[in-house]
Amino acid sequence: MIRLRLEESPDFEKARQTGEIQKLPIAEVLRKYPVYVVLMCLAYLSSGVTFYIATVFSLSYGTKELGESRSTLLGLISVSVCIVMAGMIYFGWLSDRISRRAIFFAGLVGMTAAPWAWFALLGTGNWPLMLLGFALLLIPYAANYGIMPAYFVGVFPAHIRYTGLSLGYTLGAVLAGGLAPIIATFLLGAFGDWQAIALYMSGIGIVSMIGTFFLRERYSGNVESEARPISPTETELHGRVNAPHAN
């Protein structure tokens, strides 16, 4: 009901007035922008892995491996989620004043480094230290995930923006969120210690940083700015994506 009453964005209205709306936008996304879909998927991976290991895998790990009660872990996760919500609001506000991409990337750096401290602090059995570990892990997540929609929305032009963003995000969510607890459980069983899981989380963080390095905001999210020139790196990458369709 809310969706029916909301007006379309100025970007989409402009695209509709100029006749750019596609009947099958997914076809254009896959034909012209497959590289950006893959890069968006890679950029998302670290946040999905971090969140689901911290909030799902930690329950079984904490009770079975560390001997903590489920209520203790649920309390830690509940407080941590409140920190995340506050952090997302703050970093969203901050991203309107400085570079979204810089905050997004800084969050990835934090999520790449923090698993080692998180596991170590989780193993202390001391509630304040365990909470500190969750904060060290999830504050970078809040910085990254809190501005993700605003960052990702600038990757595709308005007439295929929703489809392109949905495809890249959903693919990343399936690969990261759906598989992360399973992979973490496998690694724990195979190696018997948390270091392998921390290495997995850090490795995914590096993969997401590589994806983010090449994923540029080609459109900043308003009609006037969609005509802005793009950087040489963006031009080169966009040229490679569209090269087969030049004729």
Side-chain angles (χ1 to χ4, degrees), residues 8-238:
E8 295 290 354
S9 67
D11 300 36
F12 190 83
E13 285 293 345
K14 177 69 174 179
R16 181 157 56 188
Q17 292 170 11
T18 56
E20 296 178 1
I21 302 303
Q22 302 291 314
K23 291 184 178 180
L24 194 62
I26 191 171
E28 181 174 348
V29 170
L30 294 176
R31 186 176 70 252
K32 292 185 177 181
Y33 303 97
V35 171
Y36 291 108
V37 172
V38 173
L39 291 176
M40 185 175 290
C41 168
L42 296 180
Y44 171 86
L45 291 178
S46 183
S47 65
V49 167
T50 297
F51 183 78
Y52 284 99
I53 286 183
T55 60
V56 177
F57 172 75
S58 65
L59 289 173
S60 62
Y61 175 76
T63 54
K64 296 177 181 178
E65 301 297 324
L66 302 179
E68 298 292 338
S69 68
R70 189 175 181 85
S71 61
T72 296
L73 293 164
L74 287 173
L76 287 166
I77 292 171
S78 298
V79 175
S80 300
V81 168
C82 291
I83 294 173
V84 167
M85 290 190 293
M88 290 173 66
I89 295 172
Y90 170 72
F91 287 114
W93 171 84
L94 188 63
S95 73
D96 288 335
R97 288 152 179 79
I98 62 176
S99 170
R100 284 190 294 262
R101 190 164 177 268
I103 296 177
F104 187 91
F105 199 90
L108 288 175
V109 173
M111 288 187 291
T112 300
W116 303 88
W118 177 63
F119 275 109
L121 292 169
L122 201 60
T124 63
N126 182 285
W127 204 93
L129 291 179
M130 295 167 75
L131 181 60
L132 175 62
F134 272 96
L136 291 175
L137 182 66
L138 292 178
I139 288 176
Y141 165 81
N144 179 267
Y145 192 76
I147 66 162
M148 185 180 292
Y151 174 44
F152 282 1
V153 79
V155 174
F156 298 98
H159 67 290
I160 57 167
R161 177 172 295 159
Y162 184 83
T163 300
L165 190 155
S166 298
L167 191 60
Y169 177 92
T170 303
L171 183 60
V174 170
L175 294 177
L179 297 179
I182 298 173
I183 293 174
T185 301
F186 169 78
L187 292 173
L188 182 63
F191 295 95
D193 210 336
W194 59 262
Q195 281 88 348
I197 306 171
L199 185 61
Y200 159 64
M201 296 173 72
S202 295
I204 291 295
I206 293 172
V207 170
S208 288
M209 283 192 280
I210 293 172
T212 301
F213 179 80
F214 291 105
L215 186 68
R216 305 300 178 94
E217 290 180 278
R218 300 170 58 249
Y219 307 93
S220 62
N222 57 68
V223 176
E224 292 78 9
S225 63
E226 287 213 354
R228 70 172 176 82
I230 58 179
S231 69
T233 302
E234 294 172 87
T235 303
E236 180 183 357
L237 182 57
H238 185 54

